[in-house]
Amino acid sequence: MGKREQPSQNTIVYRLKCVICDKVQDGGVSQKYRISERGRAENFLEAALLLKDDVYIRIADLDTIEKIFGADLYYHGKCLNKYLKK
């Protein structure tokens, strides 16, 4: 179980780990997106609180939408979709 990446304005997104799968690449895809929309952040936080899995452990201190935004969390598109469907 890895820790989440530290927020940084100078970080290259392709080198960051996905907050969900904890990998830089997933199936050869390194493109990631920042959690920056309120609805996405709410759904992500609700799913993590419900599942209480490795993702929850990585973001346990992020208990509000504002903290989710402040942490600069990035995800692979497929990873977030799969996670929210759980």
Side-chain angles (χ1 to χ4, degrees):
M1 165 181 39
K3 60 182 182 176
R4 72 172 185 269
E5 300 283 342
Q6 294 295 317
S8 173
Q9 295 177 359
N10 300 323
T11 303
I12 299 171
V13 175
Y14 296 108
R15 294 184 184 163
L16 291 176
K17 289 183 181 179
C18 170
V19 70
I20 297 165
C21 72
D22 200 32
K23 298 178 196 170
V24 174
Q25 286 189 346
D26 179 46
V29 176
S30 58
Q31 174 67 38
K32 286 173 274 316
Y33 307 94
R34 183 174 180 268
I35 297 178
S36 60
E37 297 173 358
R38 187 163 200 78
R40 272 284 207 223
E42 287 172 350
N43 292 338
F44 173 67
L45 189 56
E46 286 175 20
L49 290 171
L50 178 69
L51 297 171
K52 299 217 190 250
D53 56 2
D54 288 342
V55 176
Y56 172 77
I57 292 168
R58 281 194 285 280
I59 67 159
D61 61 325
L62 306 176
D63 56 355
T64 66
I65 303 303
E66 291 75 19
K67 288 180 183 178
I68 295 285
F69 291 153
D72 285 336
L73 302 178
Y74 286 85
Y75 62 91
H76 296 111
K78 284 178 23 180
C79 290
L80 184 61
N81 291 337
K82 279 196 292 188
Y83 192 69
L84 295 178
K85 287 181 182 180
K86 285 184 182 180

